[in-house]
Amino acid sequence: MDWLVTATGAALVLLILRDVFHTLWHPTRHGGLSRLVMTTLWRLSFALGTRRTAAGLAGPLAMVSVVALWALTVAAGWALIYWPHMPDAFVYAGGLQPDDHAGLLDATYVSLVTLSTLGLGDVAPAEGWLRLLAPLEALVGFALLTATVSWILGIYPALARRRALALRLSHLSRTHPSKEQIDSPAGAAMLDGLATALSVAAVDFLQYAESYYFHDGDERTSLALQIGYALDIADEASEAGHRDVRLAATVLRSALEDLAGILDERFLHTQGPPRQALDAFARDHGRQAGCSRSSGRHPRCTGQR
């Protein structure tokens, strides 16, 4: 029975380490537990009355929840490893009665102290294999801390790039460049720049899938609400007379198709053409990103053209 408890604790630790690996260190995959937490909180924001506020909190709150889940589950797993071997396999500081400090709560205390690298030393493992596990837990705790910081430092630049692309599309849609302006070398350069920025956004969604669950602010900085204009301008430029513009339009459409494919495969699951996937992207974010009563009839908010 003791070894069953220990095995359960080891399984919990390995489960979380696998989730951390797929979330943080495997750029094209997503951890099962972390994705479940983030998706649940994102969908829950739809059910709340103050959607704009709830959506704005969904991404940051989901990240905090995922990190807390990792830390607490790892601590619980190591506590289950320690518990069956207390008090015989542990040494206690003077003044502590071993039989009075051999419960699950005491094992959890030892685990938390070790995971946080505090190393108070009032209760410490004495057997050989447990003495090896304790510093290993401290290393895992340190790795979780540094990985969390790296995760945050990676997510927010990706969000900034996405919002900058949305703002650029917003500027173009509000200035409405004419067909003559698009059908020029400057128009080809503009389309090339959009294709490059869309490719960066697609890579960000692959490497930082969690960024999907972040609110993008108002309409101007929401890629979900502005992406439709990129499709429209690609369609218009494909009929231009300048061959460089037509080539740039083809590259832009390929970038849009790649982005739509990534979004559809990982988040939306429409299994439809690119425009359908991007419309679903707009619906998934549009009701929260700037779609108030005054703007709810905007095509980007309804998912219609």
Side-chain angles (χ1 to χ4, degrees):
M1 183 62 182
D2 289 348
W3 286 105
L4 178 60
V5 175
T6 300
T8 302
L12 285 176
V13 173
L14 292 175
L15 175 66
I16 293 303
L17 291 180
R18 176 189 178 278
D19 194 65
V20 172
F21 174 78
H22 282 297
T23 301
L24 303 183
W25 293 310
H26 199 313
T28 59
R29 294 295 176 184
H30 200 288
L33 290 176
S34 57
R35 180 163 190 170
L36 177 62
V37 170
M38 290 195 157
T39 303
T40 300
L41 289 176
W42 178 253
R43 299 307 174 199
L44 184 61
S45 68
F46 280 89
L48 300 178
T50 55
R51 285 179 177 175
R52 187 183 182 92
T53 301
L57 292 174
L61 182 60
M63 288 189 70
V64 172
S65 300
V66 168
V67 173
L69 175 66
W70 287 342
L72 293 176
T73 306
V74 166
W78 245 285
L80 290 177
I81 294 174
Y82 297 146
W83 182 33
H85 308 282
M86 297 180 72
D88 297 336
F90 285 76
V91 293
Y92 293 79
L96 294 179
Q97 295 296 325
D99 291 337
D100 295 336
H101 298 278
L104 180 58
L105 184 61
D106 299 285
T108 303
Y109 163 75
V110 173
S111 178
L112 287 172
V113 167
T114 307
L115 185 67
S116 61
T117 67
L118 289 177
L120 298 181
D122 51 347
V123 182
E127 287 191 0
W129 68 277
L130 286 174
R131 292 177 66 188
L132 291 176
L133 279 183
L136 180 61
E137 183 183 8
L139 286 175
V140 170
F142 182 74
L144 278 178
L145 175 62
T146 55
T148 299
V149 173
S150 299
W151 194 23
I152 294 171
L153 293 178
I155 284 282
Y156 283 94
L159 292 173
R161 290 189 291 269
R162 188 171 84 194
R163 291 162 182 169
L165 170 59
L167 191 58
R168 185 176 182 184
L169 288 170
S170 174
H171 292 160
L172 287 172
S173 66
R174 282 181 286 161
T175 55
H176 294 294
S178 64
K179 290 184 178 181
E180 292 76 14
Q181 290 173 320
I182 295 175
D183 194 2
S184 66
M190 177 194 69
L191 296 174
D192 282 334
L194 289 178
T196 300
L198 283 166
S199 299
V200 172
V203 172
D204 284 338
F205 278 119
L206 279 174
Q207 293 187 333
Y208 303 104
E210 305 81 16
S211 64
Y212 180 87
Y213 305 107
F214 277 73
H215 178 54
D216 277 329
D218 60 21
E219 290 183 26
R220 293 175 299 173
T221 57
S222 174
L223 183 60
L225 302 186
Q226 300 295 336
I227 192 69
Y229 182 74
L231 277 171
D232 295 339
I233 201 170
D235 290 341
E236 184 176 345
S238 64
E239 300 174 356
H242 201 293
R243 63 180 184 180
D244 289 344
V245 175
R246 292 197 303 272
L247 176 60
T250 302
V251 174
L252 176 58
R253 176 160 288 279
S254 296
L256 285 164
E257 290 173 354
D258 287 343
L259 176 60
I262 291 169
L263 291 172
D264 197 40
E265 179 183 358
R266 307 202 68 176
F267 310 105
L268 302 171
H269 312 295
T270 67
Q271 298 181 345
R275 187 174 288 276
Q276 181 179 346
L278 294 177
D279 284 346
F281 180 38
R283 288 193 300 271
D284 203 19
H285 285 251
R287 288 190 294 271
Q288 303 161 39
C291 287
S292 59
R293 290 182 180 179
S294 61
S295 60
R297 294 186 297 274
H298 191 281
R300 300 291 180 262
C301 298
T302 61
Q304 300 172 353
R305 289 194 62 185

